[in-house]
Amino acid sequence: MEFTSSEGEQRYAEVVARAADVVVGLDFDGTLAPIVDDPDAAHIHPDAGGVLTDLAAAVRAVAVITGRPARQALALGGLDEVGNAIGDVGRELYLFGQYGNERWSSTNRRIVTPRPPAGLATFERDLPRVLRGADAAEAYVEDKGLAVAVHTRRLDDADGAFDRLVKPITELAEQHGLSVEPGRQVLEVRSHGMHKGLVVDWLMEHLEAGGFLFAGDDLGDVEAFEAVLDLRRRGLPTLLVCSASREEPTLRDLADVVVDGPAGVLDLLRTLTTDAS
């Protein structure tokens, strides 16, 4: 655990002091689960269930906020079982999938989800032509139901293919009234209007929380970081945690604490739980 400044250490102490009022929001890929070539194999860190259960007893609530479909995150994270354990300590686990478009909790186990956005089906129909034109025909296309993600991680020239695809995929998305969310060697195409920052705001209001800790690793987490910074400007205790990504410095520049991947995130949460006891 590396604080980025003396102010970061002070913010951690403030969160510890107010832990019972603080919501902890966690990204999934790169934060609770390692980044791997096959997205379907990104299982949660084996220690995460126990760490989250212990943490839940010390804070207002724990929420997983991910770009993945909620059903995928439930399966890869074993979150049904984690939710059971958290329920046993009198708390609730929240899961927000597809950047907040889908919602699940351990007390209401039905996934609430909207219809797929208009234009997504025709975008997906036109996508192979764009991939061929960028010499990236073998990119892995993940149909997420409410979004389409184009992964270049498996390609020999992953970074080059990503760079070649940014412009044509953005143009195609705009033609179909959709937006593009770039990540680490992935471009996700989805509807406008929902992002992780709005989830932070919803949790604060819905739970009448008094502070927020958010941990993430990629560009899809920037809006959550910005929402937490807004809470900080309002005088609330907050902490921003970057699960270290040398490929993406944006979050590192905003973070109070930098940790070494999912194992580092869990170490920080263990320490927080102990310090708040």
Side-chain angles (χ1 to χ4, degrees), residues 4 8 41 60 95 107-108 131 146 175 185 238 243 271:
T4 58
R60 177 63 61 91
L95 169 65
T107 58
N108 179 14
L131 297 180
L146 301 180
Q175 291 170 20
Q185 298 174 343
T238 60
S243 179
T271 302

Side-chain angles (χ1 to χ4, degrees), residues 47-240:
D47 295 342
V51 172
L52 296 184
T53 301
D54 291 342
L55 173 70
V59 299
R60 177 63 61 91
V62 176
V64 177
I65 309 170
T66 176
R68 282 185 178 272
R71 198 169 303 280
Q72 266 190 7
L74 283 167
L76 291 170
L79 296 182
D80 267 312
E81 293 79 4
V82 177
N84 288 338
I86 288 177
D88 289 342
V89 300
R91 296 292 195 272
E92 186 170 11
L93 175 66
Y94 293 87
L95 169 65
F96 296 85
Q98 305 218 42
Y99 296 90
N101 280 303
E102 297 179 322
R103 186 182 305 162
W104 174 96
S105 77
S106 55
T107 58
N108 179 14
R109 304 220 170 200
R110 182 174 65 91
I111 297 173
V112 178
T113 185
R115 295 175 180 270
L120 190 63
T122 50
F123 169 87
E124 197 165 4
R125 181 198 66 201
D126 295 340
L127 181 58
R129 169 180 53 81
V130 169
L131 297 180
R132 290 192 299 270
D135 193 24
E138 300 304 314
Y140 172 57
V141 177
E142 180 186 5
D143 186 343
K144 302 172 74 170
L146 301 180
V148 172
V150 180
H151 300 264
T152 65
R153 191 171 295 117
R154 300 178 183 178
L155 301 180
D156 291 338
D157 182 19
D159 291 331
F162 177 89
D163 292 341
R164 293 193 301 274
L165 284 170
V166 171
K167 182 179 179 183
I169 285 183
T170 299
E171 291 174 347
L172 182 62
E174 290 173 349
Q175 291 170 20
H176 294 282
L178 302 167
S179 64
V180 176
E181 182 72 55
R184 283 195 263 175
Q185 298 174 343
V186 60
L187 293 163
E188 180 160 320
V189 177
R190 55 190 174 92
S191 61
H192 297 278
M194 177 53 74
H195 54 72
K196 294 183 181 183
L198 296 176
V199 178
V200 171
D201 294 339
W202 184 91
L203 286 164
M204 289 294 297
E205 179 178 358
H206 181 75
L207 299 177
E208 298 181 346
F212 211 100
L213 180 157
F214 186 84
D217 77 313
D218 209 347
L219 286 174
D221 300 309
V222 168
E223 288 91 350
F225 269 48
E226 291 174 343
V228 173
L229 288 172
D230 185 57
L231 297 175
R232 180 176 298 170
R233 286 188 284 268
R234 289 158 49 189
L236 296 173
T238 60
L239 194 73
L240 291 171

